[in-house]
Amino acid sequence: MPDIRERVEEDRGLIKKIQLKIPGYAGYRRREDIRNADILLRNQVADQVKKVRSDLEGVRDGLAAAGKYQGLQPIGNLIFLLQATEARVRHAEGGYSGISANVRVEEPELDKLYEYDYTMLDTLDKCAAVIPMLQSAADPATFNTTLKAFQDALKAFDQAFDQRMIIITATNAR
């Protein structure tokens, strides 16, 4: 996957290039570009969550069509969790800090935020990798084990997402 920050820098128009030459404004311009790259990346992560949810809905529909009702409720619960996760990712804090913010988020922290969001895609890939195994699980024990692996991967993703701003801003009280 390409680094979106590089793409945002490459696509700077004339006005943004002039803003980079203005003392005192250049830092603001660079931070805004990193924030925009992070927003684009988070939208891609949210789209990936949506795709995983859609694939899981396909598994649920396949089970229902085959008359296998045993795994429908846990899959339905996971679908609801994925909907909530998608909304949280899509509308998450972007690391904005105003002129006199209590906690300032500067370029290095914004870069960390971007890197943090980028690595969460790997965690999400673990969820996606489990879905074909759910579809092909022949017996209930294998299905439950596979479902547990999906739940664990989703839980790891959610925990990592919850921690991202706390870690970046170093505001964890404990």
Side-chain angles (χ1 to χ4, degrees):
M1 174 181 255
D3 191 333
I4 297 171
R5 292 173 296 188
E6 293 173 4
R7 180 64 194 263
V8 168
E9 287 179 17
E10 289 172 5
D11 289 348
R12 284 180 179 144
L14 181 61
I15 292 176
K16 287 183 179 180
K17 289 177 182 174
I18 292 170
Q19 290 172 341
L20 288 172
K21 303 289 183 192
I22 300 171
Y25 197 80
Y28 169 77
R29 175 75 272 147
R30 284 192 299 273
R31 286 190 298 274
E32 280 301 307
D33 286 347
I34 296 170
R35 285 186 192 101
N36 287 333
D38 186 55
I39 289 168
L40 290 170
L41 178 62
R42 276 188 292 109
N43 283 336
Q44 288 183 12
V45 172
D47 289 344
Q48 182 67 18
V49 171
K50 184 177 181 178
K51 183 183 178 323
V52 169
R53 179 177 51 89
S54 177
D55 291 347
L56 199 56
E57 288 171 342
V59 171
R60 179 192 62 190
D61 294 346
L63 288 173
K68 298 177 182 178
Y69 303 112
Q70 185 177 0
L72 292 180
Q73 182 176 359
I75 288 177
N77 292 340
L78 288 173
I79 289 169
F80 285 128
L81 287 174
L82 286 167
Q83 286 174 331
T85 298
E86 178 191 345
R88 286 183 338 135
V89 169
R90 199 171 297 280
H91 304 292
E93 282 286 328
Y96 183 79
S97 62
I99 294 173
S100 62
N102 292 331
V103 178
R104 292 193 57 84
V105 181
E106 299 293 340
E107 282 181 59
E109 291 86 12
L110 288 172
D111 274 330
K112 283 185 203 172
L113 189 64
Y114 179 90
E115 297 293 335
Y116 210 80
D117 288 349
Y118 190 81
T119 55
M120 288 189 335
L121 281 172
D122 291 334
T123 308
L124 198 54
D125 287 344
K126 291 178 184 172
C127 288
V130 173
I131 290 177
M133 292 185 271
L134 274 174
Q135 288 173 323
S136 63
D139 60 277
T142 304
F143 182 84
N144 289 335
T145 302
T146 307
L147 195 61
K148 175 82 169 91
F150 186 93
Q151 290 169 328
D152 291 345
L154 182 60
K155 186 175 181 179
F157 178 86
D158 282 341
Q159 287 174 342
F161 196 77
D162 288 343
Q163 292 295 314
R164 66 192 264 283
M165 274 309 268
I166 293 170
I167 290 170
I168 299 304
T169 58
T171 56
N172 192 5
R174 292 196 153 222

